[in-house]
């Protein structure tokens, strides 16, 4: 079974530029998560999709971050404009149906450096 | 939202048993206890989940006392490859659908 795919793996941009990350979840997984992980901290949930609807985006900085999940499969996370404090690893995860007991499968992440 | 407290770091040697304790005093009745493992440059990986007493799988054991205010992840005979960050997760986000990660415990295994 293929795992969660993410691209790119690394990205370096200047502040105020825009950047987009792509995620392809495990086939059949209805729930998709985007996390931000700052160095030395645990992952912080940014947004959770159930199929193509948003379940939770309470911690997504909506003035600069946006995400979409077209057709309930692939998802993109965009930052525009980027700030220095956005430097982090962005992790995508998926699970069968969501819920606190559902196992989340994580991708390798995208390491973003904002200069 | 249940808050968890676990040691920031632990050191061990190959072949030893490692026990990582997590405190979660305000765990809710319907909360499960879940542990994830994260290696450098990788996403977290599910290890084990339990509600009460003891759960064991091929990787680890999870011990939960009757009051469920704490839990202990036990890793038998660790090797160098067990060096990682271990997260104890209890409680969910406001939507009630996703677990909340803390800072985790960094386990360093030496030869």
């Amino acid at each position: 079974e293929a795992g969660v795919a993410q691209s790119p793996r690394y990205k370096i941009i200047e502040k105020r530029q825009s950047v987009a990350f792509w995620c392809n979840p495990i086939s059949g997984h209805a729930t998709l998560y985007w996390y931000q992980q700052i160095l030395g901290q645990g992952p912080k949930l940014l947004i959770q999709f159930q199929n193509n609807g948003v379940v939770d985006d309470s911690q997504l900085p909506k003035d600069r971050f946006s995400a979409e999940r077209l057709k309930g499969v692939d998802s993109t996370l965009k930052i525009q404009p980027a700030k220095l404090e956005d430097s982090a690893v962005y992790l995508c995860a998926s699970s069968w149906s969501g819920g606190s007991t559902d196992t989340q499968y994580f991708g390798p992440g995208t390491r973003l450096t904002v200069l | 939202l249940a808050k968890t407290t676990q040691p920031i770091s632990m050191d061990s040697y190959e072949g030893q048993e490692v026990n990582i304790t997590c405190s979660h005093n305000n765990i809710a009745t319907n909360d499960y206890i879940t542990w994830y493992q994260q290696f450098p440059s990788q996403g977290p990986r599910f290890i084990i989940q339990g509600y009460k007493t003891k759960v064991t799988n091929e990787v680890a054991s999870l011990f939960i006392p009757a009051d469920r205010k704490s839990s202990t992840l036990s890793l038998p005979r660790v090797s160098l490859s067990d060096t990682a960050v271990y997260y104890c997760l209890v409680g969910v986000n406001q939507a009630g659908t996703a677990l909340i990660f803390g800072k985790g415990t960094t386990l360093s295994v030496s030869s």
Side-chain angles (χ1 to χ4, degrees):
Chain A
E1 179 181 78
V4 175
Q6 290 188 247
S7 67
R9 290 296 312 276
Y10 304 91
K11 190 73 176 179
I12 300 174
I13 61 173
E14 302 274 339
K15 60 182 179 183
R16 290 187 290 273
Q17 286 187 324
S18 62
V19 64
F21 312 125
W22 174 81
C23 173
N24 180 237
I26 292 173
S27 178
H29 281 192
T31 308
L32 185 147
Y33 314 78
W34 281 103
Y35 289 86
Q36 179 193 60
Q37 186 171 25
I38 294 173
L39 187 64
Q41 299 183 20
K44 182 181 83 171
L45 180 68
L46 293 176
I47 188 167
Q48 178 184 351
F49 292 95
Q50 184 74 14
N51 296 308
N52 60 350
V54 176
V55 175
D56 182 6
D57 63 356
S58 58
Q59 297 198 88
L60 186 74
K62 298 180 185 64
D63 58 335
R64 298 184 301 107
F65 286 63
S66 65
E68 61 181 5
R69 190 182 184 196
L70 298 176
K71 300 180 181 179
V73 181
D74 293 6
S75 177
T76 56
L77 176 69
K78 298 179 181 178
I79 307 175
Q80 181 180 10
K83 293 184 175 181
L84 296 177
E85 59 261 34
D86 297 332
S87 293
V89 175
Y90 291 84
L91 294 161
C92 179
S94 69
S95 66
W96 279 109
S97 58
S100 61
T101 59
D102 210 16
T103 298
Q104 293 186 34
Y105 297 86
F106 284 80
T110 297
R111 182 176 297 277
L112 173 67
T113 301
V114 182
L115 303 176
Chain B
L1 300 175
K3 179 181 177 181
T4 60
T5 302
Q6 52 183 124
I8 294 174
S9 63
M10 295 182 67
D11 295 314
S12 182
Y13 291 97
E14 285 189 292
Q16 290 188 331
E17 178 184 71
V18 171
N19 296 307
I20 305 174
T21 297
C22 179
S23 172
H24 29 80
N25 290 318
N26 59 340
I27 186 170
T29 303
N30 56 351
D31 282 341
Y32 278 71
I33 300 156
T34 309
W35 287 80
Y36 278 76
Q37 173 192 56
Q38 185 175 27
F39 297 113
S41 300
Q42 293 186 25
R45 184 182 72 164
F46 172 87
I47 301 177
I48 197 166
Q49 183 180 76
Y51 184 80
K52 61 180 180 180
T53 62
K54 176 184 175 182
V55 180
T56 298
N57 62 22
E58 66 277 7
V59 177
S61 294
L62 179 60
F63 298 92
I64 305 168
D67 66 5
R68 303 198 331 119
K69 293 183 182 297
S70 67
S71 58
T72 299
L73 175 72
S74 181
L75 305 171
R77 299 184 59 79
V78 295
S79 64
L80 296 176
S81 62
D82 291 315
T83 294
V85 179
Y86 292 82
Y87 295 98
C88 167
L89 294 85
V90 175
V92 295
N93 60 346
Q94 289 185 339
T97 55
L99 294 169
I100 300 171
F101 284 82
K103 292 187 176 181
T105 296
T106 299
L107 172 64
S108 298
V109 181
S110 304
S111 58

